[in-house]
Amino acid sequence: MRNGAMTALTMRDGGKIGVYHAHPRGARRGGLVLVQEIFGVTDHIRAMCDGYADDGYEVLAPALFDREAPGFAVGHDRLAEAAKLANETHDFALSIADVQSCIDVLAPAGPVFIVGYCYGGSVAYRAATACTGLAAASGYYGRLIPLRFMDDAPRCPTILHFGRADAGIPMAGVEALIARDHPGLEVFLYDAGHGFQSDRQDAYDPASAALARARTLALFRAHGG
């Protein structure tokens, strides 16, 4: 049973986009911006939001591609289309601005955290380095992190999760990121591939997924959530 629902929020640039809003069950631990994969705010992403809501978080998951492709939410069989939208059509900087808008909505009620997966993992890390108002961040297998943001230090406590068998993110780049030794950043490696957190993918690895989620919740709870 779904805990949340899609609503419309006005972003900093005046544009309105869809946002999946899940309310916490029980006492509210904090706010959480959950950032989508390249496939949009899919049923899987909504389920992830509901899971964090069950843990006590008020969750906002912005539909980052709504300006270019309203309501975009597709399966893995449309990977090429999703990748083109994320990498060519959509302005990555706009994702960061929309995350900031969501942080601003959640912040008056308490600490705000961010978690993101795949494309959203890169967004989560960039938000940790550029946005204001975040208490902690957790990013999963963000390909752009070692490619574009390796030298940017996070402003809040941050953890990153990468699979050693991820064919799309060379370990050399991840190891170079680790070597930067940014204060407040911890990088975890798992014996898994890309998308290991998603039970909708062949690469799903239950043990790695459970451990990464436990580490994410522990980080949030150590910093006010």
Side-chain angles (χ1 to χ4, degrees):
M1 180 178 177
R2 283 281 172 262
N3 177 28
M6 291 299 294
T7 186
L9 283 182
T10 301
M11 300 290 107
R12 284 187 160 194
D13 68 346
K16 269 192 176 178
I17 67 171
V19 176
Y20 186 79
H21 187 185
H23 296 275
R25 296 189 191 275
R28 186 184 191 276
R29 287 183 172 272
L32 176 64
V33 183
L34 190 148
V35 193
Q36 63 178 64
E37 302 167 322
I38 61 171
F39 304 104
V41 180
T42 59
D43 181 71
H44 168 61
I45 291 298
R46 295 192 294 271
M48 298 284 280
C49 293
D50 292 344
Y52 281 106
D54 288 343
D55 289 311
Y57 297 92
E58 180 182 2
V59 187
L60 296 179
L64 297 176
F65 304 150
D66 257 12
R67 294 175 182 81
E68 301 86 3
F72 186 81
V74 301
H76 293 183
D77 58 326
R78 292 171 64 182
L79 173 61
E81 179 184 354
K84 181 177 177 64
L85 178 57
N87 298 326
E88 299 178 26
T89 308
H90 180 73
D91 182 358
F92 186 88
L94 193 53
S95 290
I96 306 306
D98 288 347
V99 163
Q100 184 67 67
S101 295
C102 291
I103 295 169
D104 295 344
V105 169
L106 294 167
V112 183
F113 308 92
I114 189 168
V115 64
Y117 304 89
C118 185
Y119 176 83
S122 298
V123 172
Y125 186 75
R126 182 59 181 154
T129 71
C131 290
T132 59
L134 284 172
S138 178
Y140 288 71
Y141 30 82
R143 184 179 64 88
L144 297 180
I145 300 171
L147 289 177
R148 291 174 54 182
F149 307 123
M150 186 183 302
D151 293 327
D152 300 330
R155 299 180 178 183
C156 63
T158 300
I159 59 175
L160 297 175
H161 314 271
F162 293 99
R164 291 188 178 90
D166 191 329
I169 306 177
M171 275 296 100
V174 176
E175 289 165 359
L177 172 65
I178 294 170
R180 292 296 192 278
D181 198 24
H182 292 307
L185 173 63
E186 190 168 9
V187 178
F188 295 104
L189 301 179
Y190 302 82
D191 291 324
H194 190 81
F196 68 78
Q197 188 70 33
S198 173
D199 60 4
R200 316 296 171 92
Q201 296 196 39
D202 292 340
Y204 176 54
D205 186 274
S208 297
L211 179 56
R213 192 174 192 280
R215 284 168 167 164
T216 296
L217 289 172
L219 174 75
F220 295 167
R221 290 171 182 170
H223 296 281

